[in-house]
Amino acid sequence: EAGVVQSPRYKIIEKKQPVAFWCNPISGHNTLYWYRQNLGQGPELLIRYENEEAVDDSQLPKDRFSAERLKGVDSTLKIQPAELGDSAVYLCASSPSRAGVNTGELFFGEGSRLTVL
Amino acid sequence: SQQGEEDPQALSIQEGENATMNCSYKTSINNLQWYRQNSGRGLVHLILIRSNEREKHSGRLRVTLDTSKKSSSLLITASRAADTASYFCVGGSQGNLIFGKGTKLSVKP
């Protein structure tokens, strides 16, 4: 069974440029998360989807960040324009259920490492 | 939302020794999960213990849960260099899974 697939794995851009990350969750997983992880820190939740609905985007900086999950499968996370402080690893995770209700286990992709110069 | 706080922040041991990491959380949970993250990789689920369980084993891993103290511990026995990674705990409930800063384990050969 394929795991969570993210692309690109690495991205280097100059500040003020746009960038987009793509995530393909495990087939059948209705819950999808985007996390941001700074060096030496734990993952920080940005947004959670239940199918195509964003049920928690309270931590998403909406002035420059946007996300979508069309048809409740793949998801994209966009930053426009990027700032120096956005340099981090962006992790996508999926779960077959709402976290903690059934198995609660999250399956993570390898992440997309963003460097903003 | 549930947050896990790991202790210690860093742990360095010799290969073959046991490693113990602790976790505290703040509110009621349905389960407590531990994840491992190798450098430059995504997180990998290690083990889940339900709120009505007190101890669980999986291979060289042993997890305990004390809901009265809102704490958990992860024991890795007979550690190997390949166990070098960051370990995160997180409490699962009706909300999101919020991760702490993790324990960075270094196992020296």
Side-chain angles (χ1 to χ4, degrees), chain A residues 9 33 35 37 40-43 45 48 56 91 98-111 113, chain B residues 1 30-31 33 35 37 39-45 48 50 88 92-102:
Chain A
R9 284 279 281 135
Y33 303 76
Y35 286 87
Q37 187 175 28
Q41 303 293 313
L45 180 68
R48 173 168 64 96
D56 187 346
L91 293 163
R98 193 170 163 198
V101 175
N102 290 327
T103 68
E105 177 182 350
L106 298 189
F107 296 79
F108 282 84
E110 296 285 23
R113 181 179 294 275
Chain B
S1 299
N30 293 331
N31 61 62
Q33 303 176 38
Y35 289 80
Q37 186 178 34
S39 181
R41 309 296 296 273
L43 281 76
V44 174
H45 183 266
L48 179 152
R50 301 192 186 284
F88 299 89
S93 65
Q94 295 298 317
N96 297 313
L97 296 184
I98 308 297
F99 292 85
K101 295 182 179 180

Side-chain angles (χ1 to χ4, degrees), chain B residues 14-103:
Chain B
Q14 293 294 132
E15 204 165 28
E17 294 180 339
N18 295 342
T20 300
M21 288 159 270
N22 302 300
C23 167
S24 61
Y25 58 92
K26 296 182 178 176
T27 57
S28 297
I29 58 172
N30 293 331
N31 61 62
L32 193 289
Q33 303 176 38
W34 285 90
Y35 289 80
R36 181 188 73 223
Q37 186 178 34
N38 291 89
S39 181
R41 309 296 296 273
L43 281 76
V44 174
H45 183 266
L46 290 177
I47 193 167
L48 179 152
I49 183 167
R50 301 192 186 284
S51 59
N52 61 354
E53 298 176 309
R54 291 296 168 258
E55 186 172 313
K56 195 165 184 179
H57 296 252
S58 177
R60 294 184 296 113
L61 305 180
R62 173 179 169 254
V63 170
T64 63
L65 179 63
D66 187 336
T67 53
S68 66
K69 295 181 179 178
K70 292 186 169 56
S71 66
S72 173
S73 68
L74 171 67
L75 169 67
I76 304 174
T77 60
S79 63
R80 305 166 182 168
D83 295 328
T84 294
S86 291
Y87 292 81
F88 299 89
C89 71
V90 61
S93 65
Q94 295 298 317
N96 297 313
L97 296 184
I98 308 297
F99 292 85
K101 295 182 179 180
T103 291

Side-chain angles (χ1 to χ4, degrees), chain A residues 4-5 26 29 34 41 43 47 53 55 58 60 63-65 72 78 88 90-91 98 102 114:
Chain A
V4 176
V5 179
I26 293 174
H29 284 193
W34 281 103
Q41 303 293 313
I47 190 168
E53 182 183 359
V55 296
S58 59
L60 190 72
D63 57 335
R64 297 182 300 106
F65 286 65
K78 298 178 182 178
Y90 292 84
L91 293 163
R98 193 170 163 198
N102 290 327
L114 174 65

Side-chain angles (χ1 to χ4, degrees), chain A residues 43-93:
Chain A
E44 169 195 355
L45 180 68
L46 292 175
I47 190 168
R48 173 168 64 96
Y49 282 93
E50 296 288 341
N51 299 305
E52 66 276 8
E53 182 183 359
V55 296
D56 187 346
D57 63 356
S58 59
Q59 303 303 312
L60 190 72
K62 298 182 183 62
D63 57 335
R64 297 182 300 106
F65 286 65
S66 64
E68 62 182 8
R69 192 183 183 197
L70 299 176
K71 301 181 182 179
V73 182
D74 294 1
S75 177
T76 57
L77 176 69
K78 298 178 182 178
I79 308 174
Q80 182 171 14
E83 297 179 352
L84 295 176
D86 296 331
S87 293
V89 176
Y90 292 84
L91 293 163
C92 178

